[in-house]
Amino acid sequence: MKFGTSLVVLGLIATVFAQCVISEQEALMNLYTALGGDFWTDNSGWNTGDVCTWYGIGCNLDGYVTDIRLPANNLTGELTSDIGCFPYLKSLQLNENEISGPVPDAIGFLTNLKYLNLDNNRLSGPLPVALCNDEYLQYIYLGHNLFEGEIPACYVTSFTFVKEIHLDCNLLTGDLLDFSGYEYMFELRSRCNNFNVECPAWIETSDILVICTGSCEDCPIPDTQCPEFIEVEDCGLYYPIEIP
């Protein structure tokens, strides 16, 4: 990460820390309100009793929130900075919903996060640079959204233990950066974006499974903004492959 970018991220994280003077219960209820909790498919237990008994919430032995799992639960609206108020959070699964708008910079305060799944929403704006502060991430699923702009440079250096990164079906531009330096990574999904080159040369010598081309029929963006299907010889692409 560049020095200037580091200062920006650290400043954002410090700001979030200063704001997180509320309890985890209050932070959860703020998210509940922002994401239309009264209309969720399942909101069992919310705003009553111990948060560890609420639907989709898991806790450690000390009662701190470690898991927020609300996939396919009719979440609508925008994420707020309250998402950064869970210092022990390890898994955040909000995929298959209708969450829109940008990802708050507060996402970078989840420094114990290992699993992030925001696939299949309506998230927009640039990919969150603040995410690079979450160095223990192993699974990063940001596919099937409306993210635009270039991949932040820190995405190829910050996640020491990363195994999978999904960036497919967005509006990303620029270069598909070289992720081959990651020791544990085994899959990158990048198809259906607007990169300068769908399958760059580094893929040919990488052990990573790179899904860089394929049908855009299941993308949330118009087909006219997706690249044509091109199967590149010696691209390292395993095709056909079942894409959930």
Side-chain angles (χ1 to χ4, degrees), residues 176-234:
L176 177 55
L177 301 182
D178 186 347
F179 287 83
S180 62
Y182 282 129
E183 181 178 358
Y184 304 104
M185 188 168 175
F186 58 80
E187 180 178 290
L188 171 67
R189 299 189 184 192
S190 62
R191 70 187 183 97
C192 297
N193 280 287
N194 296 314
F195 293 124
N196 293 331
V197 178
E198 288 185 271
C199 300
W202 66 265
I203 293 175
E204 298 179 11
T205 57
S206 173
D207 293 329
I208 301 172
L209 165 60
V210 181
I211 305 172
C212 52
T213 64
S215 171
C216 295
E217 293 180 358
D218 57 346
C219 294
I221 58 179
D223 287 342
T224 54
Q225 296 187 29
C226 284
E228 295 292 329
F229 171 73
I230 302 173
E231 188 167 0
V232 180
E233 185 177 1
D234 297 324

Side-chain angles (χ1 to χ4, degrees), residues 22-111:
I22 60 177
S23 68
E24 290 189 331
Q25 178 173 346
E26 290 173 302
L28 285 172
M29 283 309 303
N30 288 345
L31 290 169
Y32 178 92
T33 300
L35 298 175
D38 287 344
F39 302 99
W40 290 356
T41 303
D42 193 336
N43 57 11
S44 304
W46 279 72
N47 203 27
T48 59
D50 185 355
V51 299
C52 302
T53 66
W54 295 2
Y55 175 78
I57 302 301
C59 299
N60 60 20
L61 294 177
D62 295 319
Y64 291 104
V65 174
T66 57
D67 299 270
I68 300 177
R69 301 183 184 185
L70 297 167
N73 201 42
N74 196 38
L75 277 63
T76 60
E78 297 189 11
L79 289 171
T80 68
S81 60
D82 301 280
I83 198 62
C85 294
F86 306 98
Y88 298 94
L89 194 68
K90 294 182 179 180
S91 177
L92 177 61
Q93 300 181 44
L94 303 178
N95 51 300
E96 311 289 340
N97 284 294
E98 293 290 332
I99 303 172
S100 57
V103 175
D105 292 318
I107 197 78
F109 191 52
L110 304 178
T111 54

Side-chain angles (χ1 to χ4, degrees), residues 118-123 142-147 169-170 220-221:
L118 299 177
D119 272 0
N120 289 284
N121 279 286
R122 305 290 294 178
L123 294 164
L142 301 173
H144 295 254
N145 281 288
L146 298 169
F147 290 116
C169 293
N170 279 290
I221 58 179

Side-chain angles (χ1 to χ4, degrees), residues 119-173:
D119 272 0
N120 289 284
N121 279 286
R122 305 290 294 178
L123 294 164
S124 59
L127 292 172
V129 175
L131 196 65
C132 294
N133 195 62
D134 304 334
E135 60 179 309
Y136 297 114
L137 274 166
Q138 296 180 25
Y139 298 91
I140 304 171
Y141 299 150
L142 301 173
H144 295 254
N145 281 288
L146 298 169
F147 290 116
E148 57 188 355
E150 299 184 359
I151 300 174
C154 62
Y155 275 44
V156 300
T157 59
S158 298
F159 312 115
T160 305
F161 305 103
V162 71
K163 297 179 180 178
E164 292 186 33
I165 298 179
H166 293 189
L167 302 174
D168 52 322
C169 293
N170 279 290
L171 298 169
L172 300 175
T173 55

